[in-house]
Amino acid sequence: NCNSDSRLSSMFWVPSQLLQMLVPAACFTLSGNLKFVALGHVNPDFVTTMEQSSVILCAALGWTFMGKRYSSPQWLAIFMLTCGLLWFDWAQRKAVKGQDGAADFHQAGKSADAHLWTGFVLMILSVVMVTAGGLSCEVLLKDSRGRPFFVQKAQMEFGMAVFGVFYCLCLQPALQGSCPVYEDGLFDGWDRWTVFTLCLHTAKSWLATTTVFFLD
């Protein structure tokens, strides 16, 4: 057991590999934070729909930079998904502008439109980050077949933890002018729903990475 633990430890604490895993870790952490901020401006259905645009961006970047090729049915599916996203965006903006029809709702309509565009920009940035993280993750996982998958995933989770601490203690104070972790403590405001959401996101992270390991 001691020899096994020592071997696993030596496989994990490899500086070059940990630095490589920081790239997708930083992308995924930023994407998650941008998505949570976007939820403060737009409805969850808008966020969920915008997340699907990562499929389009991933296909375009994979075709351009990684030499991936797609069949006609796959391109048709991507085209239909693009049309669906454009239709949804048009419907959302039409619903917001409809509030401007009456004078009493003019100001509310302008405010809703501003929130919609803010959420839209945040989700675009989130999609770019998660797509970059997914592609870099795929390259790293498939180019490192000599290491066990759980070691690679643990290295990525370690990188996400490091970048999460950096975001909370450095980036968030610079962007928002305050540091809630310093001021209120790490577990301030936690309840059972916070724990439930954290478990769901952790499970999603492992499932997504496992899928990337075997598929595109």
Side-chain angles (χ1 to χ4, degrees):
N1 289 335
C2 292
N3 290 335
S4 177
D5 292 341
S6 176
R7 186 173 64 87
L8 288 176
S9 178
S10 63
M11 293 175 65
F12 179 85
W13 296 108
V14 180
S16 60
Q17 295 172 358
L18 289 171
L19 286 174
Q20 287 178 339
M21 287 300 179
L22 273 178
V23 176
C27 291
F28 289 141
T29 304
L30 278 175
S31 175
N33 281 284
L34 288 168
K35 182 169 66 175
F36 276 111
V37 175
L39 283 167
H41 295 275
V42 292
N43 295 326
D45 59 339
F46 183 87
V47 170
T48 302
T49 304
M50 285 297 300
E51 280 186 304
Q52 309 313 309
S53 61
S54 63
V55 177
I56 303 169
L57 182 59
C58 189
L61 293 179
W63 181 79
T64 304
F65 296 107
M66 301 176 67
K68 294 187 177 184
R69 294 296 177 261
Y70 304 99
S71 63
S72 298
Q74 289 175 319
W75 280 119
L76 178 61
I78 293 171
F79 174 75
M80 292 176 65
L81 178 59
T82 304
C83 291
L85 289 171
L86 292 174
W87 177 84
F88 182 82
D89 178 63
W90 172 80
Q92 285 284 323
R93 287 190 284 115
K94 183 179 179 182
V96 169
K97 291 183 182 299
Q99 298 181 26
D100 294 336
D104 293 340
F105 293 101
H106 180 69
Q107 192 61 36
K110 290 174 63 178
S111 177
D113 190 51
H115 279 290
L116 177 62
W117 279 108
T118 301
F120 178 78
V121 172
L122 288 171
M123 282 308 301
I124 289 294
L125 293 174
S126 176
V127 166
V128 171
M129 288 292 100
V130 78
T131 303
L135 291 174
S136 61
C137 181
E138 178 182 355
V139 172
L140 290 172
L141 290 177
K142 292 182 178 179
D143 286 349
S144 305
R145 294 285 187 175
R147 282 179 290 158
F149 170 71
F150 66 89
V151 173
Q152 294 173 300
K153 181 58 179 172
Q155 289 175 328
M156 188 180 301
E157 293 290 345
F158 177 76
M160 292 178 71
V162 170
F163 196 82
V165 172
F166 174 73
Y167 176 85
C168 290
L169 301 182
C170 301
L171 288 182
Q172 191 175 31
L175 295 173
Q176 299 181 356
S178 64
C179 181
V181 175
Y182 271 144
E183 297 168 1
D184 304 320
L186 178 61
F187 298 104
D188 180 66
W190 280 50
D191 56 19
R192 59 184 180 179
W193 290 109
T194 308
V195 176
F196 180 66
T197 303
L198 180 62
C199 290
L200 283 180
H201 274 273
T202 303
K204 176 188 175 183
S205 173
W206 276 87
L207 181 60
T209 309
T210 305
T211 304
V212 167
F213 182 72
F214 293 105
L215 304 173
D216 287 343

